[in-house]
Every structure is written in C-alpha cells, then in structure tokens.
Amino acid sequence: MEKNMTLEQIEELVNAYFECRLSRTEEAELRRLLASSPLHSPDIDSCRLEMGIEAAMRKPSRSQARIPFRHILSIAASIALVIGICATVMFRSTEEMSESTIVYIAGKKVENYTYAQKLAEQSQAESMAEMREMLDEAEAESLAEMREMQIEAKTESMEQMREMLNEAKAEKRGYDSIMNEMFNNK
C-alpha cells in the first residue's frame, strides 16, 4: 500500500476491512497506513478505533509530558528561594536587623523592621499555600494520566484478545468446513 493514498482510496480499504475482504498482511499494512496518515473521516476514524490505533495516536510525546514538570519545578525553586530569604529575615533578631540589614519594600526603605518581618512571614505563608496548591494539582494530574494509561492498556489488551478470538473462530470455521467435506465425500 502506498503512503500517499487519497482519502477515497483509504476509505475503500477501510470498507474492505469492515467487510472482512483483507488478508492479514493487508490488514497489517492498513494498520500502519492509518497510524501514519493525517486523513480523517467517520469510516477511517471508526477503523482506527476498532484497530486500537486511536489510543496510540493520542499519547503525548515525552517532550510534552516534561513541560508541566519543568514548569512546576521552576516555580517550586522560586518559592524555595523566597522561603529561604524569608526564613533568614525572620530568624534574625530585630536589633541585629537594624544594624546590618536594609529592607526595601516597593522601592522604599523601611525603618520599621517588625513590620518588614510581618510582611515577610505573610509572604512566606502565601508562598507555602500556593506551593501546596500546585503540588496538589500536579498530583491530581499525575493520577489522571495514570488512570488514562491504565484504561488505554486495558483497551489494547482487550483488542488483542478480540483479534485472537476472531482468528481462532476463523481457524475453527476452516476446520469445520474441512471436516464437513470429509464426511460428505465418504
């Protein structure tokens, strides 16, 4: 089969597949063609679904799967940096801060170090809450992806079992017809 087939040619092969007119070799070639072809129609999509190709085509690539993790990791690193700075400010005594630390908020020097410390603590609490929320979302996304992968694996397994059952039925029909011919010839 050609890789540059028209929509009509592919639909003819799909119809032949549904009518059980293709050999196993032709079915395998059709499977490869449908997996690589960008063309869509109701018949083609039904055939892809029947062959279990649709699930394979929807799997994200590794680079797409890494993007959310990298994004979350960079946010977590930023939050950790803010927490570290806040912790340093919080654990210094007020007198120590007044002698060695200059605090600026929104570009203005702050003389009230207790106020600056409270702002730092508030910022840390907000950052921690945001980080917990992001981690919860990432965990939920991971669980959803794992469930989807399990469903896809079960679907593929069931499709393979159906295929094997159909092959066994076809073989049995062949044996039955041979046996009928043998008994009818006697």
Side-chain angles (χ1 to χ4, degrees):
M1 285 181 212
E2 300 175 27
K3 287 205 176 215
N4 299 327
M5 296 181 76
T6 66
L7 180 69
E8 291 77 22
Q9 291 171 322
I10 295 174
E11 284 181 337
E12 283 180 36
L13 288 171
V14 165
N15 289 329
Y17 169 78
F18 283 125
E19 293 169 2
C20 300
R21 292 186 287 129
L22 296 181
S23 69
R24 289 185 189 192
T25 306
E26 290 171 325
E27 283 184 21
E29 289 177 19
L30 177 61
R31 183 183 307 269
R32 282 191 291 277
L33 176 68
L34 292 179
S36 64
S37 175
L39 299 176
H40 289 278
S41 77
D43 290 337
I44 291 173
D45 293 340
S46 293
C47 189
R48 281 188 176 121
L49 189 62
E50 180 73 26
M51 292 180 149
I53 297 171
E54 194 69 27
M57 292 178 74
R58 281 188 279 123
K59 289 182 182 174
S61 69
R62 294 182 114 192
S63 63
Q64 289 173 332
R66 289 183 188 159
I67 292 171
F69 179 73
R70 286 182 182 169
H71 183 68
I72 289 170
L73 190 60
S74 65
I75 291 171
S78 300
I79 291 171
L81 181 63
V82 168
I83 291 170
I85 292 170
C86 290
T88 302
V89 170
M90 275 189 338
F91 291 119
R92 285 186 166 187
S93 69
T94 308
E95 297 103 34
E96 204 178 286
M97 285 179 60
S98 64
E99 296 171 9
S100 63
T101 306
I102 300 172
V103 178
Y104 287 90
I105 297 176
K108 295 181 182 177
K109 186 175 179 178
V110 176
E111 300 293 332
N112 184 346
Y113 297 106
T114 305
Y115 172 73
Q117 185 173 3
K118 285 182 182 178
L119 280 179
E121 289 171 359
Q122 180 183 358
S123 176
Q124 180 186 19
E126 289 171 1
S127 296
M128 291 298 288
E130 188 176 330
M131 187 169 70
R132 273 189 225 103
E133 184 179 316
M134 287 187 327
L135 290 173
D136 289 344
E137 287 175 11
E139 183 179 8
E141 284 180 23
S142 294
L143 288 173
E145 287 177 8
M146 286 174 53
R147 283 188 200 111
E148 186 177 324
M149 288 170 47
Q150 287 174 337
I151 290 170
E152 288 176 3
K154 286 179 183 177
T155 303
E156 287 178 23
S157 177
M158 288 178 65
E159 181 59 34
Q160 289 172 351
M161 290 174 69
R162 268 192 220 111
E163 202 172 293
M164 290 170 54
L165 180 62
N166 288 338
E167 289 173 6
K169 285 179 182 177
E171 285 182 28
K172 184 182 180 303
R173 283 192 297 267
Y175 292 135
D176 287 347
S177 67
I178 291 171
M179 294 301 284
N180 285 337
E181 275 185 40
M182 287 175 56
F183 285 118
N184 289 338
N185 288 338
K186 286 187 177 182

